[in-house]
Amino acid sequence: PPRSTLFPYTTLFRSVQNNLPEQIQEPPNRRILIVDDNPQIHEDFRKILSPDLPHVGEIEQKETALFGRTNFEKSPLAYELDFAFSGEEAIEKSNSAMDAGKEYALAFVDVRMAPGIDGVQTTQQLLQKACDLQIVICTAYSDYSWDDMMRHIGESDQLLVLKKPFDNIEVLQCASTLCEKWRLQKETQKRLKKFTGIIDERLTKDVLGKLKS
């Protein structure tokens, strides 16, 4: 179309974009699902991401009495952790959380879990419904190459691989960065929806106004 035809709509787009309400913000979501068939791994994640829970303090006191004081990197943020011992349980918990309007921002998923589906299959099924979920696949083995994972899961920017044994700081960085990525993604979706709605409304008024004239 000629530039003269596009100009009023370009001006309209800029006007709407500049006047979007600032209150379109997504609050932080620090709900994380840990998927591993080993209960000790659950405790390790709990000590890193939720160190202020009373029973975690008790565990640390016992470990200090047995082994002496250890330097354990902890999160300054309060993450809300939930745990699953299998892929099937993880999928069930994720679906229930979404139905309750409390979806997880992030899941740490172990590759090897028995019995049942493995971590890659779990990830594939989680992403089918929880479209915004960020996932860290944890593995100590070469069960799947990156290409193998992509063939099973598909191309995705919501997936990271964390090799075991991992440092505590790696877990903290993944949690902080990916929970914020989830929040920004949701906020962008809200802004786009609001922006599109305003544009549609104003274009409709513009067309109706021209028809009447």
Side-chain angles (χ1 to χ4, degrees), residues 137-160:
I137 291 184
C138 307
T139 178
Y141 308 96
S142 300
D143 303 73
Y144 291 90
S145 68
W146 180 255
D147 289 338
D148 289 336
M149 288 187 191
M150 292 301 97
R151 275 194 291 272
H152 282 80
I153 300 170
E155 292 290 336
S156 175
D157 63 355
Q158 295 165 232
L159 185 64
L160 288 179

mmCIF file of all heavy atoms in Angstrom, residues 137-160:
data_model
loop_
_atom_site.group_PDB
_atom_site.id
_atom_site.type_symbol
_atom_site.label_atom_id
_atom_site.label_comp_id
_atom_site.label_asym_id
_atom_site.label_seq_id
_atom_site.Cartn_x
_atom_site.Cartn_y
_atom_site.Cartn_z
ATOM 1 N N ILE A 137 16.825 -30.014 32.044
ATOM 2 C CA ILE A 137 17.008 -31.467 32.064
ATOM 3 C C ILE A 137 18.344 -31.770 32.731
ATOM 4 O O ILE A 137 19.393 -31.272 32.310
ATOM 5 C CB ILE A 137 16.967 -32.053 30.646
ATOM 6 C CG1 ILE A 137 15.550 -31.954 30.081
ATOM 7 C CG2 ILE A 137 17.420 -33.503 30.641
ATOM 8 C CD1 ILE A 137 15.375 -32.595 28.723
ATOM 9 N N CYS A 138 18.303 -32.580 33.782
ATOM 10 C CA CYS A 138 19.506 -32.926 34.549
ATOM 11 C C CYS A 138 19.947 -34.337 34.189
ATOM 12 O O CYS A 138 19.150 -35.282 34.261
ATOM 13 C CB CYS A 138 19.223 -32.841 36.050
ATOM 14 S SG CYS A 138 18.526 -31.261 36.580
ATOM 15 N N THR A 139 21.212 -34.490 33.806
ATOM 16 C CA THR A 139 21.687 -35.803 33.403
ATOM 17 C C THR A 139 23.154 -35.995 33.746
ATOM 18 O O THR A 139 23.949 -35.051 33.691
ATOM 19 C CB THR A 139 21.484 -36.017 31.890
ATOM 20 O OG1 THR A 139 22.011 -37.298 31.513
ATOM 21 C CG2 THR A 139 22.191 -34.939 31.078
ATOM 22 N N ALA A 140 23.497 -37.216 34.119
ATOM 23 C CA ALA A 140 24.902 -37.573 34.369
ATOM 24 C C ALA A 140 25.400 -38.516 33.288
ATOM 25 O O ALA A 140 26.548 -38.951 33.317
ATOM 26 C CB ALA A 140 25.023 -38.246 35.734
ATOM 27 N N TYR A 141 24.554 -38.827 32.331
ATOM 28 C CA TYR A 141 24.889 -39.825 31.320
ATOM 29 C C TYR A 141 24.690 -39.245 29.919
ATOM 30 O O TYR A 141 24.196 -38.141 29.755
ATOM 31 C CB TYR A 141 24.009 -41.079 31.492
ATOM 32 C CG TYR A 141 24.028 -41.637 32.890
ATOM 33 C CD1 TYR A 141 23.028 -41.291 33.810
ATOM 34 C CD2 TYR A 141 25.046 -42.494 33.291
ATOM 35 C CE1 TYR A 141 23.044 -41.803 35.100
ATOM 36 C CE2 TYR A 141 25.073 -42.995 34.581
ATOM 37 C CZ TYR A 141 24.070 -42.657 35.482
ATOM 38 O OH TYR A 141 24.088 -43.152 36.749
ATOM 39 N N SER A 142 25.090 -40.044 28.946
ATOM 40 C CA SER A 142 24.915 -39.642 27.546
ATOM 41 C C SER A 142 23.756 -40.410 26.934
ATOM 42 O O SER A 142 23.851 -40.963 25.840
ATOM 43 C CB SER A 142 26.213 -39.900 26.766
ATOM 44 O OG SER A 142 27.281 -39.171 27.316
ATOM 45 N N ASP A 143 22.647 -40.474 27.671
ATOM 46 C CA ASP A 143 21.467 -41.190 27.182
ATOM 47 C C ASP A 143 20.961 -40.587 25.876
ATOM 48 O O ASP A 143 20.566 -41.289 24.963
ATOM 49 C CB ASP A 143 20.346 -41.137 28.222
ATOM 50 C CG ASP A 143 20.776 -41.713 29.554
ATOM 51 O OD1 ASP A 143 21.560 -41.063 30.263
ATOM 52 O OD2 ASP A 143 20.317 -42.811 29.885
ATOM 53 N N TYR A 144 20.936 -39.257 25.846
ATOM 54 C CA TYR A 144 20.470 -38.546 24.675
ATOM 55 C C TYR A 144 21.488 -37.480 24.292
ATOM 56 O O TYR A 144 21.994 -36.754 25.150
ATOM 57 C CB TYR A 144 19.145 -37.824 24.958
ATOM 58 C CG TYR A 144 17.947 -38.720 25.174
ATOM 59 C CD1 TYR A 144 17.609 -39.181 26.450
ATOM 60 C CD2 TYR A 144 17.117 -39.075 24.112
ATOM 61 C CE1 TYR A 144 16.498 -39.970 26.661
ATOM 62 C CE2 TYR A 144 15.994 -39.868 24.316
ATOM 63 C CZ TYR A 144 15.696 -40.315 25.589
ATOM 64 O OH TYR A 144 14.587 -41.096 25.787
ATOM 65 N N SER A 145 21.770 -37.361 23.000
ATOM 66 C CA SER A 145 22.522 -36.207 22.519
ATOM 67 C C SER A 145 21.544 -35.045 22.392
ATOM 68 O O SER A 145 20.327 -35.229 22.472
ATOM 69 C CB SER A 145 23.164 -36.509 21.159
ATOM 70 O OG SER A 145 22.150 -36.640 20.162
ATOM 71 N N TRP A 146 22.079 -33.844 22.186
ATOM 72 C CA TRP A 146 21.202 -32.687 22.008
ATOM 73 C C TRP A 146 20.285 -32.886 20.799
ATOM 74 O O TRP A 146 19.095 -32.567 20.838
ATOM 75 C CB TRP A 146 22.031 -31.415 21.852
ATOM 76 C CG TRP A 146 21.206 -30.185 21.662
ATOM 77 C CD1 TRP A 146 21.006 -29.505 20.507
ATOM 78 C CD2 TRP A 146 20.429 -29.501 22.667
ATOM 79 N NE1 TRP A 146 20.165 -28.432 20.715
ATOM 80 C CE2 TRP A 146 19.800 -28.407 22.033
ATOM 81 C CE3 TRP A 146 20.229 -29.711 24.028
ATOM 82 C CZ2 TRP A 146 18.979 -27.518 22.713
ATOM 83 C CZ3 TRP A 146 19.396 -28.826 24.706
ATOM 84 C CH2 TRP A 146 18.790 -27.741 24.058
ATOM 85 N N ASP A 147 20.853 -33.447 19.712
ATOM 86 C CA ASP A 147 20.042 -33.692 18.514
ATOM 87 C C ASP A 147 18.926 -34.687 18.800
ATOM 88 O O ASP A 147 17.797 -34.530 18.307
ATOM 89 C CB ASP A 147 20.928 -34.210 17.378
ATOM 90 C CG ASP A 147 21.852 -33.127 16.825
ATOM 91 O OD1 ASP A 147 21.534 -31.936 17.010
ATOM 92 O OD2 ASP A 147 22.871 -33.473 16.211
ATOM 93 N N ASP A 148 19.236 -35.717 19.604
ATOM 94 C CA ASP A 148 18.210 -36.699 19.969
ATOM 95 C C ASP A 148 17.078 -36.029 20.747
ATOM 96 O O ASP A 148 15.893 -36.298 20.513
ATOM 97 C CB ASP A 148 18.808 -37.822 20.819
ATOM 98 C CG ASP A 148 19.712 -38.739 20.026
ATOM 99 O OD1 ASP A 148 19.539 -38.801 18.793
ATOM 100 O OD2 ASP A 148 20.609 -39.352 20.632
ATOM 101 N N MET A 149 17.458 -35.153 21.700
ATOM 102 C CA MET A 149 16.444 -34.452 22.486
ATOM 103 C C MET A 149 15.557 -33.593 21.594
ATOM 104 O O MET A 149 14.331 -33.562 21.743
ATOM 105 C CB MET A 149 17.108 -33.572 23.538
ATOM 106 C CG MET A 149 17.731 -34.322 24.683
ATOM 107 S SD MET A 149 18.313 -33.190 25.972
ATOM 108 C CE MET A 149 19.269 -34.320 26.981
ATOM 109 N N MET A 150 16.182 -32.885 20.640
ATOM 110 C CA MET A 150 15.407 -32.021 19.760
ATOM 111 C C MET A 150 14.462 -32.827 18.874
ATOM 112 O O MET A 150 13.368 -32.369 18.543
ATOM 113 C CB MET A 150 16.343 -31.166 18.901
ATOM 114 C CG MET A 150 17.127 -30.111 19.675
ATOM 115 S SD MET A 150 16.066 -28.931 20.554
ATOM 116 C CE MET A 150 16.039 -29.639 22.219
ATOM 117 N N ARG A 151 14.888 -34.040 18.499
ATOM 118 C CA ARG A 151 14.004 -34.880 17.685
ATOM 119 C C ARG A 151 12.777 -35.322 18.489
ATOM 120 O O ARG A 151 11.673 -35.435 17.956
ATOM 121 C CB ARG A 151 14.767 -36.097 17.161
ATOM 122 C CG ARG A 151 15.548 -35.836 15.875
ATOM 123 C CD ARG A 151 16.003 -37.134 15.235
ATOM 124 N NE ARG A 151 17.025 -37.797 16.018
ATOM 125 C CZ ARG A 151 18.332 -37.562 15.891
ATOM 126 N NH1 ARG A 151 18.750 -36.673 14.998
ATOM 127 N NH2 ARG A 151 19.208 -38.215 16.625
ATOM 128 N N HIS A 152 12.978 -35.570 19.783
ATOM 129 C CA HIS A 152 11.867 -35.990 20.628
ATOM 130 C C HIS A 152 10.978 -34.815 21.044
ATOM 131 O O HIS A 152 9.754 -34.922 21.064
ATOM 132 C CB HIS A 152 12.392 -36.694 21.889
ATOM 133 C CG HIS A 152 12.826 -38.110 21.671
ATOM 134 N ND1 HIS A 152 14.053 -38.436 21.137
ATOM 135 C CD2 HIS A 152 12.190 -39.284 21.892
ATOM 136 C CE1 HIS A 152 14.155 -39.759 21.066
ATOM 137 N NE2 HIS A 152 13.041 -40.296 21.514
ATOM 138 N N ILE A 153 11.620 -33.716 21.412
ATOM 139 C CA ILE A 153 10.893 -32.594 22.007
ATOM 140 C C ILE A 153 10.522 -31.534 20.977
ATOM 141 O O ILE A 153 9.484 -30.893 21.073
ATOM 142 C CB ILE A 153 11.745 -31.952 23.134
ATOM 143 C CG1 ILE A 153 12.034 -32.995 24.216
ATOM 144 C CG2 ILE A 153 11.047 -30.736 23.743
ATOM 145 C CD1 ILE A 153 13.050 -32.551 25.241
ATOM 146 N N GLY A 154 11.373 -31.371 19.974
ATOM 147 C CA GLY A 154 11.190 -30.293 19.016
ATOM 148 C C GLY A 154 12.039 -29.097 19.403
ATOM 149 O O GLY A 154 12.494 -28.984 20.540
ATOM 150 N N GLU A 155 12.272 -28.216 18.451
ATOM 151 C CA GLU A 155 13.050 -27.008 18.726
ATOM 152 C C GLU A 155 12.354 -26.182 19.806
ATOM 153 O O GLU A 155 11.157 -25.935 19.728
ATOM 154 C CB GLU A 155 13.214 -26.174 17.460
ATOM 155 C CG GLU A 155 14.086 -26.814 16.391
ATOM 156 C CD GLU A 155 15.546 -26.853 16.789
ATOM 157 O OE1 GLU A 155 15.958 -26.021 17.625
ATOM 158 O OE2 GLU A 155 16.278 -27.724 16.276
ATOM 159 N N SER A 156 13.120 -25.778 20.813
ATOM 160 C CA SER A 156 12.521 -25.034 21.925
ATOM 161 C C SER A 156 13.562 -24.133 22.569
ATOM 162 O O SER A 156 14.717 -24.530 22.738
ATOM 163 C CB SER A 156 11.966 -26.005 22.973
ATOM 164 O OG SER A 156 11.492 -25.311 24.105
ATOM 165 N N ASP A 157 13.135 -22.918 22.911
ATOM 166 C CA ASP A 157 14.017 -22.012 23.656
ATOM 167 C C ASP A 157 13.705 -22.071 25.148
ATOM 168 O O ASP A 157 14.136 -21.214 25.910
ATOM 169 C CB ASP A 157 13.898 -20.580 23.138
ATOM 170 C CG ASP A 157 12.500 -20.001 23.332
ATOM 171 O OD1 ASP A 157 11.595 -20.743 23.780
ATOM 172 O OD2 ASP A 157 12.303 -18.807 23.033
ATOM 173 N N GLN A 158 12.936 -23.091 25.551
ATOM 174 C CA GLN A 158 12.553 -23.238 26.965
ATOM 175 C C GLN A 158 13.305 -24.373 27.648
ATOM 176 O O GLN A 158 12.941 -24.794 28.735
ATOM 177 C CB GLN A 158 11.044 -23.504 27.068
ATOM 178 C CG GLN A 158 10.198 -22.336 26.582
ATOM 179 C CD GLN A 158 8.756 -22.728 26.354
ATOM 180 O OE1 GLN A 158 8.187 -22.486 25.300
ATOM 181 N NE2 GLN A 158 8.144 -23.352 27.338
ATOM 182 N N LEU A 159 14.360 -24.845 26.995
ATOM 183 C CA LEU A 159 15.032 -26.054 27.459
ATOM 184 C C LEU A 159 16.523 -25.812 27.672
ATOM 185 O O LEU A 159 17.200 -25.261 26.816
ATOM 186 C CB LEU A 159 14.828 -27.164 26.427
ATOM 187 C CG LEU A 159 15.357 -28.556 26.763
ATOM 188 C CD1 LEU A 159 14.625 -29.127 27.968
ATOM 189 C CD2 LEU A 159 15.200 -29.474 25.558
ATOM 190 N N LEU A 160 17.007 -26.246 28.848
ATOM 191 C CA LEU A 160 18.440 -26.237 29.141
ATOM 192 C C LEU A 160 18.839 -27.632 29.623
ATOM 193 O O LEU A 160 18.011 -28.370 30.150
ATOM 194 C CB LEU A 160 18.778 -25.219 30.225
ATOM 195 C CG LEU A 160 18.705 -23.734 29.872
ATOM 196 C CD1 LEU A 160 19.046 -22.898 31.099
ATOM 197 C CD2 LEU A 160 19.639 -23.380 28.730
#
